Amino acid sequence: MYVEKFLAHIADNSPTFKCYACGDKQESLNLTAQLAHTRNSPATGDELKQLRDWLTSHAEDFVVLYSQHNGLIIYEDTAGDAAGIMLYPVANWPDKTEEMKSQFEAMGVEQDDQPAGVIDSLAFGEIPHSANYFTVKLSGPHAGKIFYADHDDFSDDPFADSFADFLARVVNDPTKFLYDVGCYTRYSDGKTSTQWIPKEYGNSSA
């Protein structure tokens, strides 16, 4: 159900965030950031089969989304280079997974000490400019659960119990989602260097 709600959510062609300036303790919503989404074309039959091979019984919600969009970037800032969430095309999952593992190894973290969301997991997305990854666990008691592989917080707790639950967190409150993953996404007024933090989601055509 939440996959369909997510698809409807990103079909909005005039999304906005009402934002407050970083450092403003009053959180005055003085900027309305105009947003855009990049939605890739559907995955091929072979790419959907690859998802099923990787994720087995946990693949179906991924398949429903990727049958519409083989990767996407949402909440892109039309006045700057910020973006909210990136989901990778299927072909990029293995390379992005290796990139994630290499990052932790470069930090001196031994394989057995890496977060649960890195070990035996596939990276399928990220928060742009954060160097943190969203992963899906492939085996064990947490198989199919979604983790946030955060290089600053080695939490072993799942971020969501399933991909559908992950998408539900996005749809139910996009700004809280972005805050919960570290508040990396900051928007621009296109005129100053002020960083603007999203607080409320809206629609400029409403």
Side-chain angles (χ1 to χ4, degrees), residues 53-103:
D53 289 345
W54 283 334
L55 305 178
T56 61
S57 62
H58 307 290
E60 197 54 38
D61 286 327
F62 281 96
V63 168
V64 173
L65 177 60
Y66 275 74
S67 67
Q68 300 298 313
H69 303 293
N70 184 21
L72 48 85
I73 306 172
I74 61 175
Y75 311 138
E76 295 175 276
D77 189 0
T78 59
D81 64 353
I85 305 166
M86 176 187 291
L87 300 185
Y88 308 135
V90 174
N92 293 0
W93 286 28
D95 286 346
K96 288 295 185 178
T97 299
E98 288 306 310
E99 178 184 282
M100 172 183 66
K101 291 179 179 178
S102 295
Q103 177 177 292

Side-chain angles (χ1 to χ4, degrees), residues 14 25 39 70 76 78 115-116 122 133 156 159 167 173 185:
S14 53
K25 294 182 179 180
R39 295 161 291 206
N70 184 21
E76 295 175 276
T78 59
L122 280 171
Y133 301 82
D156 285 333
F159 185 79
L167 297 178
D173 195 336
T185 306

Side-chain angles (χ1 to χ4, degrees), residues 7-191:
L7 286 167
H9 178 72
I10 64 171
D12 178 4
N13 288 318
S14 53
T16 62
F17 280 143
K18 292 184 178 179
C19 306
Y20 63 91
C22 183
D24 176 11
K25 294 182 179 180
Q26 302 301 315
E27 298 187 0
S28 303
L29 302 179
N30 290 329
L31 176 73
T32 298
Q34 305 296 324
L35 310 175
H37 304 315
T38 296
R39 295 161 291 206
N40 294 353
S41 57
T44 66
D46 285 345
E47 288 165 333
L48 296 177
K49 180 180 182 301
Q50 180 66 81
L51 287 179
R52 290 190 173 97
D53 289 345
W54 283 334
L55 305 178
T56 61
S57 62
H58 307 290
E60 197 54 38
D61 286 327
F62 281 96
V63 168
V64 173
L65 177 60
Y66 275 74
S67 67
Q68 300 298 313
H69 303 293
N70 184 21
L72 48 85
I73 306 172
I74 61 175
Y75 311 138
E76 295 175 276
D77 189 0
T78 59
D81 64 353
I85 305 166
M86 176 187 291
L87 300 185
Y88 308 135
V90 174
N92 293 0
W93 286 28
D95 286 346
K96 288 295 185 178
T97 299
E98 288 306 310
E99 178 184 282
M100 172 183 66
K101 291 179 179 178
S102 295
Q103 177 177 292
F104 280 93
E105 290 169 2
M107 293 168 60
V109 182
E110 298 295 333
Q111 184 171 346
D112 291 343
D113 295 326
Q114 292 176 357
V118 175
I119 300 170
D120 195 26
S121 302
L122 280 171
F124 66 86
E126 66 182 60
I127 300 294
H129 311 301
S130 73
N132 298 332
Y133 301 82
F134 293 113
T135 71
V136 56
K137 194 77 169 173
L138 297 179
S139 65
H142 290 313
K145 294 185 179 182
I146 305 304
F147 286 78
Y148 185 48
D150 183 344
H151 64 279
D152 288 324
D153 179 11
F154 285 21
S155 173
D156 285 333
D157 296 327
F159 185 79
D161 286 337
S162 67
F163 186 55
D165 288 341
F166 170 84
L167 297 178
R169 290 187 66 170
V170 178
V171 171
N172 289 340
D173 195 336
T175 58
K176 185 177 187 301
F177 180 99
L178 295 177
Y179 185 85
D180 288 346
V181 295
C183 196
Y184 289 99
T185 306
R186 311 289 181 90
Y187 291 88
S188 171
D189 56 20
K191 301 174 183 178

